[in-house]
Amino acid sequence: MSYDWQPLLLTFKLAGITTLILCVIGIPFAWWLSQTRIRIKPVLETLVSMPLVLPPSVLGFYLLLAFSPTHWFGGWVEHIAGLKLAFSFQGLVLGSVIFSFPFLVHPVQSGFQNLAPSLSEAAYTLGKSRWQTFLHVLLPNIKPQLLAGVVLAFAHTIGEFGVVLMIGGNMPGQTRVASIAIYDEVEALNYDAANFYALVLFGVCFTILLSVYLLNKKFLTRLGGT
Amino acid sequence: MIELYFKKKLLGAQGEFSLEVKLRIEQGEFVTLFGESGAGKTTLLRCLSGLTEPDAGSICINGETWFDSTKQTRLPVQQRRVGYMFQDYALFPNMSVRGNLEFALRKGASRQRVSELIEIMALGELQHRKPAELSGGQQQRVALARALAAESKLLLLDEPFSALDQETKVRLQDEVLRLQRHFGLTTVMVSHDVSEVYRLSKRVLIIEQGRIVREGSPAEMFGVGQASGKFSFAGEILAIEAADVVFAVTLLVGNQIVRVIATADEAQHLKPGDRVMLMSKAFNPVLVAC
């Protein structure tokens, strides 16, 4: 029996793109958050953490409203970039970025916070700019946390269900990711196909999490920690 | 030559106080800032290096203005290029010993300098190791070498020997002194170890609550100038035992435990745990509660 690989491929494409975007915006944001003394910092931290506790359907519901072309945000994005966010892959990416944001930001931020401030200060006295310091001193010294953040964000996007269902609908090739496909197949009593998707997701998530733990153990031994 | 005058508000253990210093340091001089922790010594170093900005004042080095609050001059820390040795050494954990030194090189500087420093500081065998694989004394040497790799004319040392054992300390102090003379570096060191100050610097500035209260040679500050013809040590009483007509008092002075004799009169006011001054004059010890 041949299985439809499309939902799985779509899942990994979504997780890959989401993680990439998260790295670009999430890592600098985590650094900024670890340094800033801005007064609204607790508010920002709360907002970042909200997806951890909020039911995905709540987030999905508001995103769906905002994505609607009749809403100013959805209308604005469609007008500026020509992107349709509701029930589209682009909308899924944006939703996933928001939903997986804390999974990347939290470990990376705590990594930055645990570095001695004297490390960046030493780099500054040696004539290095903030960017050079960030790239050559800070990032390489939080490798375990970076890895944890990237992998958690990736794995969490794979496991996303509620938000995707709310804002993506269930369009084959567009928004029908594996987690939705499982639900769909179960509804249609195709346990065999559901099992196929579920098994692949289980295997993939187990493997990447396991490699994180193994790699981090190696990092820590190399740095002389326990 | 360094000329500086500045003010900076600091938050100390007893509330807010102001660091206010006026100072002139000659080219090639080795100056020590001596005082209790929290007196503002490290802040002074940080203001010099540009890591902390004074509230008001000016800092001029060899005719170049690094900071002037009236003219809004603020040379960024990156352009001051001081050799700063941090109290915790601040070695980059991701780089090898050699990597740490190479990172410190100025743009276009020859790598030859790194090899030279590795040789001078006897780091040859360790050059490919990471900082976490080094002992405290070895890390200290790397930190010093890194501060020198930047080819700065101003070396700032923040309690560079505080975490080391006595033997390593003395050996590295000699090394610092040799290198300081070799490169003709103007050096400002923060310390609260009298022996260190004696060995290394010609001039000591004693800082209390943000002010330079006294300055002079180490001998003038800690020794001969105030000599009163007796030794005195601060100690803590561990035990008092009656021995015939006198009392044997066991004291902890520094790391040493000594036993001295006290008269019944003296012992009457003392109990274990008391802080006392032990003074010796013509070999008869006197204990005074403090």
Side-chain angles (χ1 to χ4, degrees):
Chain A
M1 178 176 174
S2 76
Y3 296 107
D4 183 9
W5 282 87
Q6 201 181 43
L8 283 168
L9 293 179
L10 195 66
T11 295
F12 295 124
K13 186 174 151 199
L14 176 67
I17 294 178
T18 302
T19 310
L20 210 64
I21 295 177
L22 274 176
C23 284
V24 175
I25 56 173
I27 296 172
F29 181 78
W31 177 72
W32 178 79
L33 208 55
S34 73
Q35 302 291 310
T36 186
R37 288 189 197 153
I38 196 170
R39 241 193 245 166
I40 56 161
K41 185 173 168 176
V43 179
L44 290 174
E45 284 179 315
T46 308
L47 280 177
V48 169
S49 305
M50 279 302 270
L52 292 176
V53 290
L54 213 56
S57 49
V58 172
L59 191 70
F61 172 64
Y62 284 119
L63 284 177
L64 187 64
L65 289 188
F67 285 179
S68 147
T70 55
H71 188 270
W72 69 264
F73 178 76
W76 177 74
V77 171
E78 198 167 340
H79 180 71
I80 294 289
L83 286 179
K84 207 171 127 329
L85 290 178
F87 307 116
S88 73
F89 184 71
Q90 291 89 340
L92 274 198
V93 171
L94 184 56
S96 307
V97 165
I98 295 172
F99 199 50
S100 295
F101 205 54
F103 291 88
L104 181 103
V105 170
H106 278 172
V108 176
Q109 183 192 351
S110 85
F112 283 129
Q113 265 160 359
N114 287 334
L115 289 180
S118 61
L119 280 186
S120 14
E121 291 181 343
Y124 297 155
T125 64
L126 297 170
K128 306 299 171 195
S129 67
R130 285 163 83 88
W131 174 240
Q132 284 171 316
T133 304
F134 182 74
L135 215 59
H136 298 295
V137 176
L138 300 180
L139 280 187
N141 285 313
I142 58 158
K143 265 190 211 154
Q145 290 90 342
L146 270 181
L147 186 73
V150 166
V151 167
L152 281 178
F154 187 84
H156 185 251
T157 312
I158 290 180
E160 205 174 294
F161 179 77
V163 173
V164 176
L165 193 66
M166 293 291 283
I167 62 176
N170 186 5
M171 293 148 78
Q174 265 285 327
T175 59
R176 190 176 190 231
V177 295
S179 55
I180 307 278
I182 295 174
Y183 179 75
D184 226 32
E185 300 293 358
V186 173
E187 287 248 284
L189 299 177
N190 291 331
Y191 287 177
D192 203 27
N195 184 38
F196 163 68
Y197 293 134
L199 210 59
V200 172
L201 286 193
F202 183 90
V204 168
C205 289
F206 182 82
T207 314
I208 47 186
L209 282 181
L210 181 68
S211 23
V212 171
Y213 284 116
L214 291 177
L215 267 175
N216 269 353
K217 202 173 156 221
K218 212 175 92 192
F219 275 137
L220 292 176
T221 357
R222 202 153 19 122
L223 285 172
T226 46
Chain B
M1 188 177 65
I2 305 172
E3 277 182 299
L4 61 88
Y5 167 73
F6 63 77
K7 287 182 192 173
K8 168 94 190 157
K9 274 221 171 350
L10 292 178
L11 199 60
Q14 279 114 39
E16 222 173 57
F17 68 99
S18 151
L19 171 70
E20 207 173 326
V21 283
K22 192 173 162 92
L23 186 58
R24 215 180 125 114
I25 302 168
E26 298 299 329
Q27 181 65 42
E29 203 179 359
F30 198 127
V31 176
T32 305
L33 307 173
F34 184 87
E36 302 272 305
S37 38
K41 303 178 305 273
T42 298
T43 309
L44 204 160
L45 280 201
R46 293 177 61 89
C47 286
L48 254 177
S49 67
L51 289 171
T52 299
E53 194 172 290
D55 297 332
S58 69
I59 300 172
C60 288
I61 309 243
N62 301 329
E64 191 186 351
T65 306
W66 278 5
F67 178 80
D68 193 330
S69 55
T70 56
K71 292 180 201 143
Q72 301 293 315
T73 312
R74 284 170 180 81
L75 193 70
V77 45
Q78 282 91 348
Q79 288 169 36
R80 297 192 189 187
R81 303 300 304 253
V82 297
Y84 198 122
M85 198 173 138
F86 290 81
Q87 207 173 345
D88 63 356
Y89 307 144
L91 297 175
F92 307 126
N94 57 315
M95 301 178 200
S96 66
V97 168
R98 182 172 268 276
N100 265 278
L101 301 192
E102 280 174 357
F103 191 70
L105 287 178
R106 285 165 188 251
K107 244 190 215 140
S110 148
R111 297 200 166 202
Q112 189 61 34
R113 172 128 182 140
V114 169
S115 304
E116 260 173 49
L117 281 166
I118 284 179
E119 197 176 320
I120 295 176
M121 303 297 285
L123 293 168
E125 308 236 313
L126 311 171
Q127 59 176 311
H128 299 300
R129 291 215 201 152
K130 293 277 167 68
E133 300 164 314
L134 304 177
S135 72
Q138 290 164 340
Q139 289 186 15
Q140 195 268 1
R141 261 150 60 201
V142 179
L144 182 63
R146 192 181 66 182
L148 294 171
E151 295 191 65
S152 166
K153 283 285 161 209
L154 177 60
L155 187 61
L156 305 175
L157 308 171
D158 192 355
E159 302 199 20
F161 310 106
S162 55
L164 304 176
D165 61 85
Q166 193 57 30
E167 197 188 328
T168 321
K169 203 186 264 190
V170 171
R171 202 156 40 78
L172 289 173
Q173 283 167 357
D174 287 342
E175 242 164 74
V176 167
L177 205 55
R178 193 166 53 81
L179 291 167
Q180 188 258 338
R181 288 185 183 148
H182 180 76
F183 292 110
L185 296 167
T186 310
T187 307
V188 185
M189 176 175 81
V190 162
S191 171
H192 49 224
D193 178 341
V194 176
S195 76
E196 188 170 299
V197 180
Y198 253 99
R199 290 175 63 87
L200 293 173
S201 73
K202 293 254 160 49
R203 184 148 72 106
V204 195
L205 307 168
I206 297 187
I207 300 192
E208 277 171 23
Q209 282 287 304
R211 307 290 154 102
I212 298 176
V213 289
R214 275 179 292 145
E215 67 167 288
S217 70
E220 284 165 359
M221 290 299 104
F222 305 119
V224 194
Q226 299 171 321
S228 54
K230 59 191 174 197
F231 301 106
S232 66
F233 309 95
E236 185 188 331
I237 295 182
L238 297 178
I240 303 175
E241 296 152 48
D244 300 332
V245 290
V246 290
F247 288 84
V249 182
T250 313
L251 289 167
L252 178 70
V253 178
N255 287 328
Q256 270 188 314
I257 295 178
V258 291
R259 183 174 273 191
V260 295
I261 301 295
T263 61
D265 229 16
E266 286 170 332
Q268 200 183 340
H269 306 289
L270 300 171
K271 60 179 187 310
D274 280 357
R275 303 282 306 165
V276 292
M277 289 300 287
L278 168 67
M279 291 182 275
S280 177
K281 206 170 179 179
F283 300 112
N284 77 52
V286 184
L287 289 176
V288 182
C290 64

